[in-house]
Amino acid sequence: MVLVTLDMPQKSANVLTEQMFADLDQAWDEIDKVAADIRGVVIQSAKEKIFVAGADLVRIANTLDWSDQEIVKFCEDGRKIFARFKSNPFPVVAAIRGACVGGGFELALWCDLRVASNDRRTVLGLPETKLGLVPGWAGTCMLPRLIGVSAAARMTALAKLIDSTTALELGAVSQVVEAENLVSAAVDLIESEIQSQNFVAARKKMLAARETTDDLQQIKNDLIPQIHATDDVDNVAAQIVLEHMIDTANDDFQTACRGESTAMTHVYGSDNCAGLLNSFFLNERARKSGAAIVAESKPPEIKTIGIVGCGQMGAGLVELSLKAGYSVIAFDRTPEVLEKLKEIVAPQADDSKLSIAGDLAAFSDCDLIIESILEDTDEKRELFQQMSEIVRDDAIISTNTSVIPLADLESSAGGPQRFVGFHFCSPIAQSRLVEVIRGSQTHNDSVAAIINVTRNFRKTPIVMNDGPGFIVNRLLSPYFEEAHRVIQGGNTLEEIDDAMREYGFPLGPFEMMDLIGNDVVYHAGKMRYVRNPESVFLSPLIPKVIKAEYLGHKNGIGYYDYSNFDLNSLPQQKAPANAAMVDLIDEYTTSTDKLDSETIQLRLTYAMLQEACAILDEGIVDDVRDIDLCLQLGLGYPANKGGLLFWSDWKEIGAAVEQMKQFDKIEQDSRFAPHQRLLDMVQANTKFYSSRS
């Protein structure tokens, strides 16, 4: 018996890199030399959590410009090496423990049989359509022959992962055993196969043409609506792989493989593929965000959190803290707010660890203070001054401000070393992003403690330097301002929001303002205007919106009317426009020259691009990927575009600059005059991303 162990040293996961393929090829060279003495081969992984994670995505991301011939060769080269598993007169069994997905599942499918552990981390599937790709190493050809076209097409098109029990029920694996019994079970299977020679017949059957009993047209009819109804996969790739699997369902194996290669040429290097790959890398970065800071620091342990200000955001912070297991002391100067707090929190979290404070003195023994009062600099300073005299010297004081620089507040906190920005995005329950802002003197231990709390909240911390609006609100402001310019130019609410939904945002800008709260948007805009009146557009419409109390979700009426609308149905459903708001907009419309959807999309995204350049110039972040991460996690920037700065690279900076120059000629107010950074990049032929990976 031969045991082949897959193990990439110093890596948490095995990946099918060029080196891994070369090593497999070399291993089979050695096996071939003594094939006459071998009864069977077991392939296992040295990793407990991941059998094989799949293809080398870094290599794919850096070869998106391959020709069709190169893409086909990539597919054929992988199949050629895997085909060696079936080239000898003995059975090969995969002993699967942990995630066996993508190319890793294809490797297992090339084995004659598969044994899987009953570990909850053991999952199998072909999730390539999540990345705008299709399987390329015969997964689409083998899986239907194993479990039927219907189940295989559903798993592949919808990128469904299955556990080992389901895999056994479908026929994708032969046995499910305890992890420690995997190899012995595989050996027993080999002995059984040697006796029965079933594996020889199965190999011949796999290569032959066949007549499936599945209703192919019905499978297609059933799956296409499901593809369009899900946000989990790229619709284009999913439909292409479905068409391929239906079209080749009765073909012989080699013909089906050629069809798979052709399907890959249709998606490899597409816009969606490029964007989704970069989004994957961004999410991998997000998983590790802040880890280096924590490793290099000695963060204090946080057990008790004090929350000051228990409105909509503060109540969300109380709930998050309780769910994460912290003891919470909550205070608000408005008694009615505190009365509502327990009603809001009790159904969602264990409130036995919640104490309602009568005054600030109750915070004397808190480890962390989170301030979440109104966006008023003077009020915040006064509060921090009071808190600094009450809390312990080693307590961390943080602010949930969305726009005020820490530099304007830190001197009141009784020691800038312990003062940190801790900004949560709305809606707090759904948004994954937390901006962790480092002041000019903030100690790394304080930052590390906030990172740990954020992780315990099951959120993603992105650490950045101080500056007005930080990243999310800094980019939102010009985006919202441009939306108001467009609406005053003659386009309707629906036209603007639909254009940005079409671009890929879950909500349009006016829908997003209603979600955040139009009063919050108004106050943020005012503060931005006070700091830089020359570059900020304050629409005369916004004060009228506030005066009419069109605040959005919080009171059921904003740009849209939510009085008879289920907010939980967003973003799949759209609320009707507020009729009175439409009349109000008409009063401030200055033109009837409507813009088409593409122009609306360009104007709103270019407004953010200009601001992103300023953020980079000011050193708010050290890495361009953090801007794209904040946009995706905080604002729902479409994953299939990979991030604002990535997408600008992919569609060519020079093209954006030329289009912005055209807008600048029309608008004549310099807001679209390309930022100097963009001009320099065109001149030097450089990109925001130095590498696609």
Side-chain angles (χ1 to χ4, degrees), residues 67-101:
S67 67
D68 285 357
Q69 290 78 12
E70 288 170 309
I71 295 166
V72 169
K73 185 176 185 299
F74 171 71
C75 296
E76 291 176 343
D77 286 349
R79 293 188 206 118
K80 182 178 178 182
I81 291 171
F82 286 158
R84 299 189 71 179
F85 298 175
K86 295 184 182 294
S87 64
N88 297 104
F90 50 74
V92 177
V93 178
I96 302 166
R97 182 181 186 183
C100 176
V101 295

Side-chain angles (χ1 to χ4, degrees), residues 260-443:
E260 183 182 77
S261 297
T262 300
M264 184 68 93
T265 65
H266 293 322
V267 295
Y268 198 109
S270 68
D271 286 352
N272 285 1
C273 172
L276 288 166
L277 281 170
N278 197 65
S279 291
F280 173 85
F281 294 129
L282 289 177
N283 277 294
E284 287 295 292
R285 177 177 174 80
R287 285 197 309 110
K288 303 167 187 172
S289 178
I293 295 173
V294 173
E296 296 165 1
S297 308
K298 295 180 179 178
E301 185 179 7
I302 305 298
K303 293 182 179 178
T304 302
I305 298 177
I307 296 171
V308 186
C310 298
Q312 188 174 13
M313 179 61 74
L317 290 169
V318 169
E319 186 179 320
L320 276 180
S321 302
L322 292 172
K323 283 183 174 179
Y326 295 104
S327 295
V328 177
I329 300 173
F331 174 77
D332 195 287
R333 287 196 171 97
T334 306
E336 293 80 11
V337 171
L338 290 174
E339 287 173 13
K340 290 180 181 178
L341 180 62
K342 278 208 170 188
E343 296 176 19
I344 296 170
V345 171
Q348 306 296 328
D350 176 12
D351 62 353
S352 63
K353 289 190 172 185
L354 173 63
S355 300
I356 302 297
D359 55 40
L360 295 178
F363 292 93
S364 60
D365 202 36
C366 287
D367 304 305
L368 167 66
I369 304 295
I370 308 176
E371 167 274 311
S372 185
I373 65 173
L374 290 174
E375 293 285 29
D376 183 289
T377 303
D378 291 336
E379 285 197 25
K380 288 180 187 288
R381 283 175 178 160
E382 181 182 350
L383 172 65
F384 292 135
Q385 182 65 49
Q386 292 175 308
M387 294 300 300
S388 68
E389 297 170 1
I390 294 170
V391 301
R392 302 192 317 262
D393 290 342
D394 62 343
I396 296 171
I397 298 178
S398 68
T399 174
N400 184 45
T401 180
S402 59
V403 290
I404 304 172
L406 269 61
D408 292 359
L409 304 170
E410 61 188 4
S411 62
S412 304
Q417 298 85 356
R418 65 174 178 179
F419 190 60
V420 188
F422 199 11
H423 176 237
F424 293 76
C425 296
S426 294
I428 187 170
Q430 285 80 40
S431 177
R432 291 169 54 197
L433 175 69
V434 174
E435 293 178 308
V436 179
I437 303 99
R438 186 198 303 273
S440 61
Q441 298 179 55
T442 306
H443 199 283

Side-chain angles (χ1 to χ4, degrees), residues 28-207:
W28 239 260
D29 286 343
E30 298 302 313
I31 286 169
D32 283 348
K33 292 176 184 177
V34 291
D37 300 323
I38 294 175
R39 293 181 65 76
V41 174
V42 177
I43 300 178
Q44 69 168 0
S45 168
K47 316 294 186 186
E48 291 186 1
K49 297 180 181 179
I50 299 176
F51 178 74
V52 178
D56 181 359
L57 297 181
V58 173
R59 182 189 183 199
I60 292 175
N62 287 317
T63 56
L64 294 177
D65 57 353
W66 268 353
S67 67
D68 285 357
Q69 290 78 12
E70 288 170 309
I71 295 166
V72 169
K73 185 176 185 299
F74 171 71
C75 296
E76 291 176 343
D77 286 349
R79 293 188 206 118
K80 182 178 178 182
I81 291 171
F82 286 158
R84 299 189 71 179
F85 298 175
K86 295 184 182 294
S87 64
N88 297 104
F90 50 74
V92 177
V93 178
I96 302 166
R97 182 181 186 183
C100 176
V101 295
F105 190 32
E106 290 178 292
L107 180 155
L109 289 171
W110 276 97
C111 297
D112 294 297
L113 296 164
R114 288 147 297 284
V115 182
S117 78
N118 58 7
D119 191 310
R120 62 180 177 81
R121 292 175 296 203
T122 299
V123 292
L124 303 90
L126 298 169
E128 283 87 347
T129 56
K130 285 179 177 285
L131 299 175
L133 290 164
V134 301
W137 294 322
T140 65
C141 313
M142 288 185 162
L143 193 58
R145 286 164 164 76
L146 200 62
I147 66 173
V149 179
S150 180
R154 183 177 184 276
M155 275 185 67
T156 309
L158 299 178
K160 296 293 185 182
L161 301 183
I162 56 174
D163 60 25
S164 53
T165 301
T166 305
L168 181 63
E169 292 169 355
L170 290 173
V173 301
S174 299
Q175 287 184 28
V176 174
V177 299
E178 297 288 339
E180 58 267 27
N181 298 328
L182 272 174
V183 173
S184 60
V187 170
D188 288 345
L189 263 183
I190 288 171
E191 294 292 358
S192 175
E193 288 293 306
I194 291 171
Q195 293 296 319
S196 68
Q197 291 292 293
N198 286 342
F199 74 97
V200 177
R203 288 177 181 180
K204 291 178 180 178
K205 185 177 180 181
M206 182 195 75
L207 293 172

Side-chain angles (χ1 to χ4, degrees), residues 92 143 299 370 471 599 627 635:
V92 177
L143 193 58
I370 308 176
I471 295 179
T599 303
I627 291 178
L635 304 182

Side-chain angles (χ1 to χ4, degrees), residues 575-651:
N578 175 0
M581 175 65 80
V582 173
D583 293 338
L584 189 59
I585 290 168
D586 288 343
E587 294 178 27
Y588 292 93
T589 300
T590 59
S591 170
T592 56
D593 295 332
K594 291 192 175 191
L595 304 178
D596 60 33
S597 291
E598 183 181 4
T599 303
I600 292 170
Q601 293 165 3
L602 290 174
R603 279 182 45 167
L604 269 64
T605 53
Y606 285 165
M608 287 195 289
L609 179 60
Q610 294 276 74
E611 198 68 33
C613 289
I615 288 172
L616 290 171
D617 282 358
E618 294 166 24
I620 303 300
V621 293
D622 300 322
D623 193 308
V624 298
R625 291 174 295 180
D626 287 339
I627 291 178
D628 281 348
L629 252 178
C630 284
L631 279 170
Q632 286 201 357
L633 298 180
L635 304 182
Y637 188 90
N640 67 351
K641 290 182 167 57
L644 175 68
L645 301 183
F646 175 84
W647 193 243
S648 300
D649 281 347
W650 182 252
K651 302 307 278 186

Side-chain angles (χ1 to χ4, degrees), residues 150 217-227 242:
S150 180
Q217 188 59 48
Q218 189 60 50
I219 293 170
K220 185 174 175 180
N221 292 344
D222 289 344
L223 282 176
I224 286 177
Q226 294 182 52
I227 288 170
L242 174 61

